[in-house]
Amino acid sequence: MTGPLQVVWFKRDLRVVDHRPLTLAVRAGPVLPLYIVEPGLWAQPDASARQWDFAAECLKELDQALSTLGQPLYVRTGEAAQILAQLHAQRGIAALWSHEETGNGWTYARDLAVAAWARRAGVPWHEPRQFGVIRRLKSRNGWARAWDQDMAQPLTPQPTALTRLEGFQGDRLPDSATVGLAPDPCPHRQTGGRTAALTILDSFLNARGRDYRFQMSSPVTAFDASSRLSPHLTWGTISMREVAQASAARMRDLRASGDPDASRWRASLVSFIGRQHWHCHLMQKLEDEPRIEFENLHPAYNGLRPQVADPDRLAAWSEGRTGFPFVDACMRALNQHGWINFRMRAMLMSFASYHLWLPWRETGLHLARKFVDYEPGIHWSQVQMQSGTTGINTMRIYNPVKQGLDQDPDGRFVRAYLPELSDVPGAFLHEPWAWPGAARLAYPPPLVDNAAAARAAREAVHAVRQGPAHGDQARDIVARHGSRKAGIPMRGGRRKPAASSSSSPGPDPQLTLDL
């Protein structure tokens, strides 16, 4: 084959099933499946070796799937626009195909550069949607209905075969050190690849997920009870449409079954399906307003916190040695697993923003690097929400002692990650500073006074909310980003009639995203 190519550019959609760009490209001509290792992307402050290691596992399995179809994955390292220009000069590109991406600021700028090159070169660039995120959305009205319709579309079947292309010798897939990433041990990280994604989806829907609704809040139970699909959705080894349709099919089977646990299963699946909507709802915010990765959503909060974090407080929080056992155990678990349940993510961010009064951009970057499932649209929306800078969400200042007592009452989770507290009696485990033997512990005292720090933060944020221009700007933010009353089911509730759809906000989406 010597004619121009249909280039399918894989980004964070590392699969061949329900991959619309791939299937459409095959119908148009010979396909070159391309993945570009972009040093500039991996040099960003939200990138980490644990993320690359997961992605590399996904890429290896993708290469196997493509090779079985007839054409291996072509890997190149460099700048996307330059590599595409080289391919075009060498062979000719008839069309470029990829999914739309709602990524970080770097990928947004990169896509602008690629689009500019494609226009100059006269190469059409086709970008079907991957998620329920709508580019250039004019209004949120009807968004959830559009999501339902999109997810109900038939899955795009994988191609039956790819034409073998000769003369393409790509680069070897590098390890994280070669990419330029610092060592990042994560001993309990999930395994990447589509096989793992399908396995955990099946185990969640048919075995692990029965009590998801009740067990996802505590880290004691959430590691098993949550779906654990989030890194696979982030890296696209499975599509949201596949997850949505498998969830709906399981719900139908439960309605017809005589399973005595069917009602418990259905309640959990209602919650799980609602969180699939929220996944894309939050990504839509970044798509509509990319600045929220870097700037306060509500400008009244500009200057509220220091621009530069206190290095000692930031280090103590990042390393899990704040002196608050439940906070530190959650951070250490995240360091080891690359994942923790959503309520604990919210608590970590809230504690950093309120109790430690750290700027959300720096702490948000640390968490981004630790999350194997880092999804910029979800992440930065939630970082701002938990820091109180959206101007439209309830201010939640988590009491780290109360959270420990509520979510880990017998101390099992804390003891697993803080062995230095092994001698502390259970009655003092969440407040070891109150134990008479605290002086001999190899564990730091609390970094701040719990009550005083929370009170000072609450008063500072409340003062901003009482400002004269706060309300008008908050209403504008709701009109642009707020969920609609008819839109998104959650906590087992039924949708309200579509006629109630308006510009008023729906349920508060905090603590609702355990995928």
Side-chain angles (χ1 to χ4, degrees), residues 244-307:
Q245 294 188 13
S247 303
R250 174 66 168 141
M251 184 72 88
R252 290 193 297 271
D253 291 344
L254 285 165
R255 291 194 186 102
S257 77
D259 187 339
D261 289 333
S263 61
R264 292 168 69 179
W265 270 106
R266 288 198 302 270
S268 287
L269 286 178
V270 166
S271 295
F272 181 60
I273 291 168
R275 282 152 181 81
Q276 294 166 29
H277 288 76
W278 281 109
H279 172 281
C280 298
H281 163 75
L282 294 172
M283 290 179 66
Q284 184 73 55
K285 293 185 179 185
L286 185 65
E287 176 69 31
D288 293 343
E289 200 154 2
R291 71 178 183 87
I292 66 174
E293 181 184 351
F294 307 101
E295 304 172 11
N296 291 325
L297 179 59
H298 196 307
Y301 297 91
N302 293 345
L304 176 65
R305 294 183 176 90
Q307 288 188 327

Side-chain angles (χ1 to χ4, degrees), residues 355-374:
H355 286 80
L356 302 184
W357 207 239
L358 296 170
W360 58 259
R361 173 68 181 167
E362 290 190 65
T363 52
L365 284 171
H366 174 79
L367 291 178
R369 291 188 294 271
K370 293 300 178 182
F371 294 151
V372 174
D373 61 2
Y374 168 56

Side-chain angles (χ1 to χ4, degrees), residues 1-10 21-34 66 69-72 74 87 91-97 123 126 159 161-166 168:
M1 304 292 295
T2 59
L5 302 170
Q6 306 292 324
V7 173
V8 178
W9 179 16
F10 289 87
L22 176 62
T23 299
L24 292 176
V26 168
R27 296 173 186 170
V31 166
L32 180 67
L34 171 67
L66 290 166
L69 292 174
Q71 173 57 45
Y74 180 57
L87 277 172
R91 180 66 179 266
I93 297 177
L96 177 64
W97 302 80
V123 173
H126 306 289
L162 297 177
T163 301
R164 176 72 181 191
L165 301 173
E166 301 299 334
F168 287 95

Side-chain angles (χ1 to χ4, degrees), residues 198-497:
L198 295 176
T199 298
I200 63 173
L201 175 63
D202 178 73
S203 70
F204 175 75
L205 292 179
N206 296 290
R208 297 184 292 109
R210 185 191 66 181
D211 295 319
Y212 162 81
R213 188 184 187 191
F214 309 103
Q215 294 184 343
M216 63 181 170
S217 292
S218 170
V220 177
T221 52
F223 279 88
D224 291 324
S226 292
S227 78
R228 307 302 302 278
L229 284 168
S230 55
H232 293 282
L233 289 168
T234 290
W235 291 100
T237 61
I238 193 169
S239 73
M240 179 62 81
R241 186 175 292 107
E242 289 181 274
V243 175
Q245 294 188 13
S247 303
R250 174 66 168 141
M251 184 72 88
R252 290 193 297 271
D253 291 344
L254 285 165
R255 291 194 186 102
S257 77
D259 187 339
D261 289 333
S263 61
R264 292 168 69 179
W265 270 106
R266 288 198 302 270
S268 287
L269 286 178
V270 166
S271 295
F272 181 60
I273 291 168
R275 282 152 181 81
Q276 294 166 29
H277 288 76
W278 281 109
H279 172 281
C280 298
H281 163 75
L282 294 172
M283 290 179 66
Q284 184 73 55
K285 293 185 179 185
L286 185 65
E287 176 69 31
D288 293 343
E289 200 154 2
R291 71 178 183 87
I292 66 174
E293 181 184 351
F294 307 101
E295 304 172 11
N296 291 325
L297 179 59
H298 196 307
Y301 297 91
N302 293 345
L304 176 65
R305 294 183 176 90
Q307 288 188 327
V308 179
D310 178 301
D312 293 333
R313 288 190 174 192
L314 180 60
W317 174 80
S318 302
E319 296 165 11
R321 48 180 182 83
T322 66
F324 289 91
F326 194 56
V327 171
D328 293 342
C330 286
M331 184 63 80
R332 295 188 197 184
L334 172 59
N335 288 340
Q336 294 184 33
H337 292 266
W339 184 92
I340 198 165
N341 61 311
F342 191 75
R343 188 182 187 95
M344 299 304 98
R345 297 183 189 211
M347 183 195 68
L348 287 171
M349 194 68 220
S350 171
F351 183 82
S353 296
Y354 291 119
H355 286 80
L356 302 184
W357 207 239
L358 296 170
W360 58 259
R361 173 68 181 167
E362 290 190 65
T363 52
L365 284 171
H366 174 79
L367 291 178
R369 291 188 294 271
K370 293 300 178 182
F371 294 151
V372 174
D373 61 2
Y374 168 56
E375 182 66 66
I378 297 171
H379 182 75
W380 293 111
S381 296
Q382 287 295 319
V383 161
Q384 290 219 38
M385 194 178 299
Q386 306 305 337
S387 301
T389 55
T390 66
I392 63 173
N393 298 106
T394 303
M395 178 170 52
R396 285 199 173 104
I397 301 178
Y398 291 84
N399 182 327
V401 176
K402 183 178 185 301
Q403 287 296 309
L405 293 169
D406 289 348
Q407 305 300 336
D408 187 27
D410 63 3
R412 181 160 38 124
F413 179 74
V414 165
R415 292 190 190 280
Y417 292 97
L418 273 66
E420 60 266 47
L421 298 183
S422 60
D423 293 336
V424 178
F428 294 97
L429 187 60
H430 293 290
E431 297 177 280
W433 56 87
W435 180 46
R440 64 174 183 266
L441 291 175
Y443 184 71
L447 203 58
V448 295
D449 179 273
N450 182 19
R455 182 171 57 252
R458 185 176 292 106
E459 291 172 355
V461 174
H462 183 72
V464 175
R465 293 194 172 199
Q466 298 307 304
H470 188 277
D472 290 340
Q473 291 172 314
R475 281 187 284 274
D476 290 342
I477 292 169
V478 167
R480 184 170 177 80
H481 296 292
S483 60
R484 302 310 194 243
K485 287 181 179 178
I488 302 174
M490 57 183 295
R491 298 199 178 106
R494 294 182 179 273
R495 287 189 182 162
K496 295 183 179 181

Side-chain angles (χ1 to χ4, degrees), residues 146-212:
W147 189 95
D148 285 341
Q149 293 169 350
D150 193 10
M151 294 302 140
Q153 293 295 314
L155 300 181
T156 303
Q158 74 174 43
T160 56
L162 297 177
T163 301
R164 176 72 181 191
L165 301 173
E166 301 299 334
F168 287 95
Q169 183 65 42
D171 301 325
R172 293 187 63 181
L173 197 64
D175 59 22
S176 57
T178 304
V179 174
L181 293 163
D184 181 25
C186 188
H188 305 302
R189 175 181 60 79
Q190 287 179 250
T191 301
R194 181 168 174 83
T195 300
L198 295 176
T199 298
I200 63 173
L201 175 63
D202 178 73
S203 70
F204 175 75
L205 292 179
N206 296 290
R208 297 184 292 109
R210 185 191 66 181
D211 295 319
Y212 162 81

